[in-house]
Amino acid sequence: MSPRCPDCGRPTMLDAFSGEGGSAVGYDRAGFCVTGVDINPQPRYPFTHVAGDAVNYIREHGHEFAAVTGSPTCQFFARVTRWRGKREAHENLIPATRDAMVETGRPWVIENVMEAAVSGELRPDLVLCGSMFGLKVRRHRAFETSWRALQLTPRCAHQPDAVPFGHKDEARFKTALGCDWMTNLGGRQAIPPAFTEHIGDALLAHLAAAAA
């Protein structure tokens, strides 16, 4: 049986490389009890949070959760990093994250920028855009899942008044993402909760089928 929170009874989720909690809020809405871990303290994170190395924490504690999700830092792949000429200053953490997740024996999800999928480093089982969920924001993210989730979403269709990534009005951008509680920096790096609520629904169905 998948581990459940002793207080709320919901399946537990470890949210690695948590940032300020965009991913976590979506999984919470889907029905998970979420705990975050990030190398930096995250005072705006809406749930239980641990400051520590994310990959090590997955290795040591990931098996204690019903599922594990993670968003390894994207600077190694992101186009803006190449523009600034600083790619060599960042590590590709996707392989180490995947290996740690596999070792837990739990279902897992890895998220990253589209460049990681184009490079072949991340298998894009799901490619999600804000426009698929009625969000007025242009943000695309790729997700690799241990159970090879199916893409059951409308086609991407940007609205004329969508807010592009990097919009100078950062407050407007994080509001469009559905991440009002975040700092501007947190909003720039966030996964819209709508993305992970969608994935969380599929993950709960996967857990139920595995338990049947």
Side-chain angles (χ1 to χ4, degrees):
M1 179 178 293
S2 297
R4 292 181 175 269
C5 173
D7 297 321
C8 67
R10 297 184 297 166
T12 53
M13 166 75 76
L14 177 60
D15 175 27
F17 305 93
S18 68
E20 294 183 3
S23 177
V25 167
Y27 284 116
D28 172 76
R29 290 173 182 169
F32 286 90
C33 183
V34 186
T35 296
V37 59
D38 196 284
I39 195 67
N40 299 310
Q42 299 291 348
R44 292 179 181 247
Y45 193 81
F47 311 108
T48 301
H49 194 270
V50 178
D53 181 273
V55 174
N56 287 342
Y57 199 87
I58 293 170
R59 289 194 178 112
E60 294 171 6
H61 299 284
H63 64 281
E64 300 168 8
F65 295 82
V68 183
T69 187
S71 300
T73 51
C74 65
Q75 286 88 345
F76 182 86
F77 295 101
R79 187 179 300 112
V80 67
T81 307
R82 294 199 296 273
W83 290 342
R84 294 171 179 169
K86 297 181 180 179
R87 180 176 179 178
E88 66 280 2
H90 303 282
E91 183 180 358
N92 173 14
L93 292 174
I94 291 177
T97 300
R98 183 188 293 111
D99 288 347
M101 289 181 174
V102 170
E103 289 173 9
T104 69
R106 301 297 187 184
W108 50 263
V109 181
I110 301 177
E111 176 273 344
N112 220 272
V113 293
M114 290 302 302
E115 291 89 342
V118 171
S119 74
E121 189 63 73
L122 186 79
R123 185 185 69 239
D125 296 330
L126 301 170
V127 175
L128 302 181
C129 168
S131 65
M132 296 173 178
F133 303 94
L135 301 178
K136 293 184 177 181
V137 62
R138 297 175 191 169
R139 169 155 289 187
H140 300 81
R141 288 293 184 268
F143 297 82
E144 179 177 333
T145 69
S146 61
W147 72 99
R148 294 181 178 260
L150 298 176
Q151 179 92 33
L152 301 175
T153 58
R155 295 181 63 181
C156 176
H158 296 144
Q159 301 180 44
D161 56 348
V163 184
F165 178 69
H167 192 278
K168 62 181 179 180
D169 185 348
E170 292 184 322
R172 181 183 169 200
F173 184 71
K174 66 184 182 181
T175 295
L177 290 174
C179 297
D180 281 325
W181 72 92
M182 294 186 177
T183 62
N184 288 339
L185 175 60
R188 287 201 301 272
Q189 299 175 341
I191 301 171
F195 289 14
T196 49
E197 182 176 3
H198 172 74
I199 296 172
D201 288 341
L203 178 50
L204 286 173
H206 172 73
L207 290 171

